[in-house]
Amino acid sequence: QVQLVESGGGSVQAGGSLRLSCAASGYTYSSYCLGWFRQAPGKEREGVAAIYTGGGSTYYADSVKGRFTISQDNAKSTTYLQMNSLKPEDTAMYYCAADWGMYGGSYALRAKEYNYWGQGTQVTVSS
């Protein structure tokens, strides 16, 4: 059974940094698409960044380009989201999600394309 466990959330001041981790387990095939999503109260879930572990292709929402970096440690089956220059509008619950039937591309930041989700980790950025 696939499990995704996020960690690394917390509270920081604007301009600060956080690194989120998503540890995956219970899967067979090592190539999959892993995405980070966020949802603020009263807002829809939005895709932030994604990576296809098979080739390393990465995808970012315009709102985080140049500030967030997604990376993969295949040996640890862990995906990271390094978040720098955080802004109050980055405040949200952050979720990682995985899918073994998608290879990235234009669907990589679409939540409905993912079948497996973690429980989420809260990120709060104060001004």
Side-chain angles (χ1 to χ4, degrees), residues 33-103:
C33 200
L34 192 292
W36 282 99
F37 295 81
R38 66 186 181 188
Q39 188 166 20
K43 295 189 176 181
E44 292 187 357
R45 189 169 297 190
E46 65 169 336
V48 175
I51 186 168
Y52 178 60
T53 66
S57 298
T58 57
Y59 311 86
Y60 296 95
D62 289 342
S63 58
V64 305
K65 281 181 181 177
R67 299 189 299 123
F68 291 11
T69 302
I70 190 170
S71 62
Q72 174 74 12
D73 185 333
N74 288 324
K76 296 182 179 180
S77 300
T78 299
T79 305
Y80 303 98
L81 184 68
Q82 178 67 43
M83 306 186 295
N84 298 329
S85 302
L86 283 161
K87 305 175 181 180
E89 51 264 43
D90 295 317
T91 295
M93 183 71 78
Y94 282 71
Y95 301 88
C96 66
D99 193 86
W100 276 258
M102 182 173 46
Y103 304 98

Coordinates of all heavy atoms in Angstrom, one line a residue, residues 33-103:
C33 N 5.3 10.3 -10.9 CA 5.2 11.8 -10.8 C 4.9 12.2 -9.3 O 3.9 11.6 -8.8 CB 4.2 12.3 -11.8 SG 4.4 14.1 -12.2
L34 N 5.6 13.0 -8.8 CA 5.4 13.5 -7.4 C 5.1 15.0 -7.4 O 6.0 15.7 -7.9 CB 6.6 13.2 -6.5 CG 6.5 13.3 -5.0 CD1 6.4 14.7 -4.5 CD2 5.4 12.4 -4.4
G35 N 4.0 15.4 -6.9 CA 3.7 16.8 -6.9 C 3.5 17.3 -5.5 O 3.1 16.6 -4.6
W36 N 3.7 18.6 -5.4 CA 3.4 19.3 -4.1 C 2.2 20.3 -4.4 O 2.3 21.0 -5.4 CB 4.6 20.1 -3.6 CG 5.6 19.3 -2.9 CD1 6.8 18.8 -3.4 CD2 5.6 18.9 -1.6 NE1 7.5 18.1 -2.5 CE2 6.8 18.2 -1.3 CE3 4.7 19.1 -0.5 CZ2 7.1 17.6 -0.1 CZ3 5.0 18.5 0.7 CH2 6.2 17.8 0.9
F37 N 1.3 20.2 -3.6 CA 0.1 21.1 -3.7 C -0.1 21.8 -2.4 O 0.4 21.4 -1.4 CB -1.1 20.2 -4.0 CG -1.0 19.5 -5.3 CD1 -0.3 18.3 -5.5 CD2 -1.7 20.0 -6.5 CE1 -0.2 17.7 -6.7 CE2 -1.5 19.4 -7.7 CZ -0.8 18.2 -7.8
R38 N -0.9 22.9 -2.5 CA -1.2 23.6 -1.3 C -2.7 24.1 -1.3 O -3.2 24.3 -2.4 CB -0.3 24.8 -1.1 CG -0.4 25.9 -2.1 CD 0.7 27.0 -1.9 NE 0.6 28.1 -2.9 CZ 1.6 29.0 -3.0 NH1 2.6 29.0 -2.2 NH2 1.4 30.0 -3.9
Q39 N -3.2 24.3 -0.1 CA -4.6 24.7 0.0 C -4.7 25.6 1.2 O -4.5 25.2 2.3 CB -5.6 23.5 0.1 CG -7.0 24.0 0.0 CD -7.9 22.8 -0.2 OE1 -7.6 21.6 0.0 NE2 -9.1 23.0 -0.8
A40 N -5.1 26.9 0.9 CA -5.4 27.8 2.0 C -6.9 27.8 2.3 O -7.7 27.4 1.4 CB -4.9 29.2 1.5
P41 N -7.2 28.2 3.5 CA -8.7 28.2 3.8 C -9.5 29.0 2.8 O -9.2 30.1 2.5 CB -8.7 28.9 5.2 CG -7.3 28.6 5.8 CD -6.4 28.6 4.6
G42 N -10.6 28.4 2.4 CA -11.5 29.0 1.4 C -11.0 29.1 0.0 O -11.7 29.7 -0.8
K43 N -9.9 28.5 -0.3 CA -9.3 28.5 -1.6 C -9.2 27.0 -2.2 O -9.2 26.1 -1.4 CB -8.0 29.2 -1.7 CG -8.0 30.6 -1.3 CD -6.7 31.3 -1.6 CE -6.8 32.8 -1.3 NZ -5.5 33.5 -1.6
E44 N -9.1 26.9 -3.5 CA -9.0 25.6 -4.1 C -7.5 25.2 -3.9 O -6.6 26.0 -3.8 CB -9.3 25.7 -5.6 CG -10.8 26.0 -5.9 CD -11.1 25.9 -7.3 OE1 -10.2 25.7 -8.1 OE2 -12.3 26.0 -7.7
R45 N -7.4 23.9 -4.0 CA -6.0 23.3 -4.0 C -5.3 23.6 -5.3 O -5.9 23.5 -6.3 CB -6.1 21.8 -3.8 CG -4.8 21.1 -3.5 CD -5.0 19.7 -3.0 NE -5.8 19.6 -1.8 CZ -5.9 18.5 -1.1 NH1 -5.4 17.3 -1.5 NH2 -6.6 18.5 0.0
E46 N -4.1 24.1 -5.1 CA -3.3 24.4 -6.3 C -2.0 23.7 -6.4 O -1.4 23.4 -5.3 CB -3.1 26.0 -6.3 CG -2.2 26.5 -5.2 CD -1.8 27.9 -5.4 OE1 -1.8 28.4 -6.6 OE2 -1.5 28.6 -4.4
G47 N -1.6 23.4 -7.6 CA -0.3 22.8 -7.8 C 0.8 23.8 -7.6 O 0.8 24.9 -8.1
V48 N 1.9 23.4 -6.9 CA 3.0 24.2 -6.6 C 4.2 23.8 -7.4 O 4.8 24.6 -8.1 CB 3.3 24.2 -5.1 CG1 4.6 25.0 -4.9 CG2 2.2 24.8 -4.3
A49 N 4.5 22.5 -7.4 CA 5.7 22.0 -8.1 C 5.6 20.5 -8.2 O 4.8 19.9 -7.5 CB 7.0 22.3 -7.3
A50 N 6.2 20.0 -9.2 CA 6.1 18.5 -9.5 C 7.4 18.1 -10.1 O 8.2 18.8 -10.7 CB 5.0 18.2 -10.3
I51 N 7.7 16.8 -9.9 CA 8.9 16.2 -10.5 C 8.6 14.8 -11.0 O 7.8 14.0 -10.4 CB 10.1 16.1 -9.5 CG1 11.4 15.7 -10.2 CG2 9.7 15.3 -8.3 CD1 12.6 15.9 -9.3
Y52 N 9.1 14.4 -12.2 CA 8.9 13.1 -12.7 C 10.2 12.4 -12.3 O 11.3 12.7 -12.8 CB 8.7 13.0 -14.2 CG 8.6 11.6 -14.7 CD1 7.6 10.8 -14.3 CD2 9.5 11.2 -15.6 CE1 7.5 9.5 -14.7 CE2 9.4 9.9 -16.1 CZ 8.5 9.0 -15.6 OH 8.4 7.7 -16.1
T53 N 10.1 11.4 -11.4 CA 11.3 10.7 -10.9 C 12.1 9.9 -12.0 O 13.3 9.7 -11.8 CB 11.0 9.8 -9.7 OG1 10.2 8.7 -10.2 CG2 10.2 10.6 -8.6
G54 N 11.4 9.5 -13.0 CA 12.0 8.7 -14.0 C 13.1 9.5 -14.8 O 14.1 8.9 -15.3
G55 N 12.9 10.8 -15.1 CA 13.8 11.5 -15.8 C 14.3 12.8 -15.2 O 15.2 13.5 -15.7
G56 N 13.6 13.2 -14.1 CA 14.0 14.4 -13.4 C 13.4 15.7 -13.8 O 13.7 16.8 -13.3
S57 N 12.4 15.6 -14.8 CA 11.8 16.8 -15.2 C 11.0 17.4 -14.1 O 10.4 16.8 -13.3 CB 10.8 16.5 -16.4 OG 11.5 16.0 -17.5
T58 N 11.1 18.8 -14.0 CA 10.4 19.5 -13.0 C 9.4 20.5 -13.5 O 9.6 21.0 -14.7 CB 11.4 20.2 -12.1 OG1 12.2 21.1 -12.9 CG2 12.3 19.2 -11.3
Y59 N 8.5 20.8 -12.7 CA 7.4 21.8 -13.1 C 7.1 22.7 -11.9 O 7.0 22.2 -10.8 CB 6.1 21.0 -13.6 CG 6.5 19.8 -14.5 CD1 6.9 18.6 -14.0 CD2 6.4 20.0 -15.9 CE1 7.2 17.6 -14.9 CE2 6.7 19.0 -16.8 CZ 7.1 17.8 -16.3 OH 7.5 16.8 -17.1
Y60 N 6.8 23.9 -12.2 CA 6.5 24.9 -11.2 C 5.4 25.8 -11.6 O 5.2 26.2 -12.7 CB 7.8 25.8 -10.9 CG 9.0 25.0 -10.4 CD1 10.0 24.6 -11.2 CD2 9.1 24.8 -9.0 CE1 11.1 23.9 -10.7 CE2 10.2 24.1 -8.5 CZ 11.2 23.6 -9.4 OH 12.2 23.0 -8.9
A61 N 4.6 26.2 -10.5 CA 3.6 27.2 -10.7 C 4.3 28.5 -10.9 O 5.4 28.8 -10.3 CB 2.7 27.2 -9.5
D62 N 3.8 29.4 -11.7 CA 4.4 30.7 -11.9 C 4.6 31.5 -10.5 O 5.6 32.2 -10.4 CB 3.5 31.6 -12.8 CG 3.6 31.1 -14.2 OD1 4.5 30.3 -14.6 OD2 2.6 31.5 -15.0
S63 N 3.7 31.3 -9.6 CA 3.8 32.0 -8.3 C 5.0 31.6 -7.5 O 5.4 32.4 -6.5 CB 2.5 31.8 -7.5 OG 2.3 30.4 -7.3
V64 N 5.6 30.5 -7.8 CA 6.8 30.0 -6.9 C 8.1 29.9 -7.7 O 9.1 29.6 -7.1 CB 6.5 28.7 -6.2 CG1 5.2 28.8 -5.4 CG2 6.4 27.6 -7.2
K65 N 8.0 30.1 -9.0 CA 9.2 30.0 -9.8 C 10.3 30.9 -9.3 O 10.1 32.1 -9.0 CB 8.9 30.3 -11.3 CG 8.3 29.2 -12.1 CD 8.0 29.5 -13.5 CE 7.3 28.4 -14.2 NZ 7.0 28.8 -15.6
G66 N 11.5 30.4 -9.2 CA 12.6 31.2 -8.7 C 12.7 31.2 -7.2 O 13.8 31.7 -6.6
R67 N 11.7 30.7 -6.5 CA 11.7 30.7 -5.0 C 11.7 29.3 -4.5 O 12.3 29.0 -3.4 CB 10.5 31.5 -4.5 CG 10.5 32.9 -4.9 CD 9.4 33.7 -4.1 NE 8.1 33.2 -4.3 CZ 7.2 32.7 -3.4 NH1 7.6 32.8 -2.1 NH2 6.0 32.3 -3.7
F68 N 11.0 28.4 -5.1 CA 10.8 27.0 -4.7 C 11.6 26.1 -5.6 O 11.7 26.3 -6.8 CB 9.4 26.6 -4.7 CG 8.5 27.3 -3.6 CD1 8.9 28.3 -2.9 CD2 7.2 26.8 -3.4 CE1 8.1 28.9 -2.0 CE2 6.4 27.4 -2.5 CZ 6.9 28.4 -1.7
T69 N 12.2 25.0 -5.0 CA 12.9 24.0 -5.8 C 12.5 22.7 -5.3 O 12.5 22.4 -4.1 CB 14.4 24.2 -5.6 OG1 14.8 25.5 -6.0 CG2 15.2 23.2 -6.4
I70 N 12.1 21.8 -6.3 CA 11.7 20.5 -6.0 C 12.9 19.6 -6.4 O 13.5 19.8 -7.4 CB 10.4 20.1 -6.7 CG1 9.9 18.7 -6.2 CG2 10.6 20.1 -8.2 CD1 8.5 18.4 -6.7
S71 N 13.1 18.6 -5.5 CA 14.2 17.6 -5.8 C 13.9 16.2 -5.3 O 13.0 16.1 -4.4 CB 15.5 18.1 -5.2 OG 15.4 18.2 -3.8
Q72 N 14.6 15.3 -5.8 CA 14.3 13.9 -5.4 C 15.6 13.2 -5.0 O 16.6 13.3 -5.6 CB 13.7 13.2 -6.7 CG 13.5 11.7 -6.5 CD 12.3 11.4 -5.7 OE1 11.5 12.2 -5.4 NE2 12.2 10.1 -5.3
D73 N 15.5 12.4 -3.9 CA 16.5 11.6 -3.4 C 16.0 10.1 -3.6 O 15.3 9.6 -2.8 CB 16.9 11.9 -2.0 CG 18.1 11.0 -1.5 OD1 18.3 9.9 -2.1 OD2 18.8 11.5 -0.6
N74 N 16.4 9.5 -4.7 CA 15.9 8.2 -5.0 C 16.3 7.1 -4.0 O 15.6 6.2 -3.7 CB 16.3 7.7 -6.4 CG 15.6 8.5 -7.5 OD1 14.4 8.8 -7.4 ND2 16.3 8.8 -8.6
A75 N 17.5 7.3 -3.4 CA 18.0 6.3 -2.4 C 17.1 6.3 -1.2 O 17.0 5.3 -0.5 CB 19.4 6.6 -2.1
K76 N 16.6 7.5 -0.9 CA 15.7 7.6 0.3 C 14.2 7.6 0.0 O 13.4 7.8 0.9 CB 16.1 8.9 1.1 CG 17.5 9.0 1.6 CD 17.8 10.3 2.4 CE 19.2 10.3 2.9 NZ 19.5 11.5 3.7
S77 N 13.9 7.5 -1.3 CA 12.5 7.6 -1.7 C 11.8 8.8 -1.1 O 10.7 8.7 -0.7 CB 11.8 6.3 -1.3 OG 12.4 5.2 -1.8
T78 N 12.5 9.9 -1.2 CA 12.0 11.1 -0.6 C 12.1 12.3 -1.5 O 13.1 12.4 -2.2 CB 12.8 11.5 0.7 OG1 12.6 10.4 1.7 CG2 12.3 12.8 1.3
T79 N 11.1 13.1 -1.6 CA 11.1 14.3 -2.4 C 11.1 15.5 -1.5 O 10.4 15.5 -0.5 CB 9.8 14.3 -3.3 OG1 9.8 13.1 -4.1 CG2 9.8 15.4 -4.3
Y80 N 11.8 16.5 -1.9 CA 11.9 17.7 -1.1 C 11.4 18.9 -1.8 O 11.4 19.0 -3.1 CB 13.4 18.0 -0.8 CG 14.1 16.8 -0.1 CD1 14.9 15.9 -0.8 CD2 13.9 16.6 1.3 CE1 15.5 14.9 -0.1 CE2 14.5 15.6 2.0 CZ 15.3 14.7 1.2 OH 15.9 13.7 1.9
L81 N 10.9 19.8 -1.1 CA 10.5 21.1 -1.6 C 11.2 22.2 -0.8 O 10.8 22.4 0.4 CB 8.9 21.3 -1.6 CG 8.4 22.6 -2.2 CD1 8.7 22.6 -3.7 CD2 7.0 22.8 -1.9
Q82 N 12.2 22.8 -1.4 CA 12.9 23.8 -0.7 C 12.2 25.1 -1.0 O 12.0 25.5 -2.2 CB 14.4 23.9 -1.2 CG 15.2 25.0 -0.6 CD 15.4 24.9 0.9 OE1 15.7 23.8 1.3 NE2 15.2 26.0 1.6
M83 N 11.8 25.8 0.0 CA 11.0 27.1 -0.2 C 11.8 28.2 0.4 O 12.0 28.3 1.6 CB 9.6 26.9 0.5 CG 8.8 25.7 0.1 SD 7.2 25.7 0.7 CE 7.5 25.5 2.5
N84 N 12.2 29.1 -0.5 CA 12.9 30.3 -0.1 C 12.1 31.6 -0.3 O 11.1 31.5 -1.0 CB 14.3 30.4 -0.8 CG 15.2 29.2 -0.6 OD1 15.2 28.6 0.5 ND2 15.9 28.8 -1.6
S85 N 12.5 32.6 0.3 CA 11.9 33.9 0.1 C 10.4 33.8 0.3 O 9.6 34.3 -0.5 CB 12.2 34.5 -1.3 OG 13.6 34.6 -1.5
L86 N 10.0 33.2 1.4 CA 8.6 32.9 1.6 C 7.8 34.2 1.8 O 8.3 35.2 2.4 CB 8.4 32.0 2.8 CG 8.7 30.5 2.5 CD1 9.0 29.7 3.8 CD2 7.6 29.9 1.7
K87 N 6.6 34.2 1.4 CA 5.7 35.3 1.5 C 4.4 34.9 2.3 O 4.1 33.7 2.3 CB 5.2 35.8 0.1 CG 6.4 36.1 -0.9 CD 5.8 36.4 -2.2 CE 6.9 36.7 -3.2 NZ 6.4 37.0 -4.6
P88 N 3.8 35.9 2.9 CA 2.5 35.5 3.6 C 1.5 34.8 2.8 O 0.8 33.9 3.3 CB 2.0 36.9 4.1 CG 3.2 37.7 4.2 CD 4.1 37.3 3.1
E89 N 1.5 35.0 1.5 CA 0.5 34.4 0.6 C 0.9 32.9 0.4 O 0.1 32.2 -0.3 CB 0.4 35.1 -0.7 CG 1.7 35.4 -1.4 CD 2.1 36.9 -1.1 OE1 2.0 37.3 0.1 OE2 2.6 37.5 -2.1
D90 N 2.1 32.5 0.8 CA 2.4 31.1 0.7 C 1.8 30.2 1.9 O 1.9 29.0 1.9 CB 4.0 30.9 0.8 CG 4.6 31.5 -0.5 OD1 4.1 31.3 -1.6 OD2 5.7 32.1 -0.3
T91 N 1.2 30.9 2.8 CA 0.6 30.2 3.9 C -0.5 29.3 3.5 O -1.4 29.7 2.7 CB 0.0 31.2 4.9 OG1 1.1 32.0 5.5 CG2 -0.7 30.5 6.0
A92 N -0.4 28.0 3.8 CA -1.4 27.0 3.4 C -1.0 25.7 4.0 O 0.1 25.5 4.6 CB -1.4 26.9 1.9
M93 N -1.9 24.7 3.8 CA -1.6 23.3 4.1 C -0.9 22.8 2.8 O -1.5 22.9 1.7 CB -2.8 22.5 4.5 CG -2.5 21.1 4.8 SD -1.7 20.9 6.4 CE -3.1 21.2 7.5
Y94 N 0.2 22.2 3.0 CA 0.9 21.6 1.8 C 0.8 20.1 1.8 O 1.0 19.4 2.8 CB 2.4 22.0 1.9 CG 2.6 23.5 1.5 CD1 2.2 24.5 2.2 CD2 3.2 23.8 0.2 CE1 2.4 25.9 1.8 CE2 3.4 25.1 -0.2 CZ 3.0 26.1 0.6 OH 3.2 27.4 0.2
Y95 N 0.5 19.6 0.7 CA 0.3 18.1 0.5 C 1.3 17.7 -0.6 O 1.5 18.3 -1.6 CB -1.1 17.8 0.0 CG -2.2 18.3 1.0 CD1 -2.7 19.5 0.9 CD2 -2.7 17.4 2.0 CE1 -3.7 19.9 1.8 CE2 -3.7 17.8 2.8 CZ -4.2 19.1 2.7 OH -5.2 19.4 3.6
C96 N 1.8 16.4 -0.4 CA 2.4 15.8 -1.6 C 1.5 14.7 -2.1 O 0.7 14.2 -1.4 CB 3.8 15.2 -1.2 SG 3.8 13.9 0.0
A97 N 1.7 14.5 -3.4 CA 0.8 13.5 -4.1 C 1.7 12.8 -5.1 O 2.6 13.3 -5.6 CB -0.4 14.2 -4.7
A98 N 1.3 11.5 -5.4 CA 2.0 10.7 -6.3 C 1.1 10.0 -7.3 O 0.0 9.7 -6.9 CB 3.0 9.7 -5.6
D99 N 1.6 9.7 -8.5 CA 0.9 8.9 -9.4 C 1.8 8.2 -10.3 O 2.8 8.8 -10.8 CB -0.1 9.8 -10.2 CG -1.1 9.0 -11.0 OD1 -2.1 8.7 -10.4 OD2 -0.8 8.6 -12.1
W100 N 1.5 6.9 -10.5 CA 2.4 6.1 -11.3 C 1.9 5.9 -12.8 O 2.5 5.3 -13.6 CB 2.5 4.7 -10.7 CG 3.5 4.6 -9.6 CD1 4.8 4.1 -9.7 CD2 3.4 5.2 -8.3 NE1 5.4 4.3 -8.5 CE2 4.6 4.9 -7.6 CE3 2.4 5.8 -7.6 CZ2 4.8 5.3 -6.3 CZ3 2.6 6.2 -6.3 CH2 3.8 6.0 -5.7
G101 N 0.9 6.6 -13.1 CA 0.4 6.6 -14.5 C 0.6 7.8 -15.3 O 0.2 7.9 -16.4
M102 N 1.3 8.8 -14.7 CA 1.5 10.0 -15.3 C 3.0 10.3 -15.5 O 3.8 9.9 -14.6 CB 0.9 11.1 -14.5 CG 1.0 12.5 -15.1 SD 0.0 13.8 -14.2 CE 0.4 13.4 -12.5
Y103 N 3.4 10.9 -16.5 CA 4.8 11.1 -16.8 C 5.2 12.6 -16.8 O 6.2 13.0 -17.3 CB 5.2 10.5 -18.1 CG 4.8 9.1 -18.2 CD1 3.6 8.6 -18.8 CD2 5.6 8.1 -17.6 CE1 3.3 7.3 -18.8 CE2 5.3 6.8 -17.7 CZ 4.2 6.4 -18.3 OH 3.8 5.0 -18.3

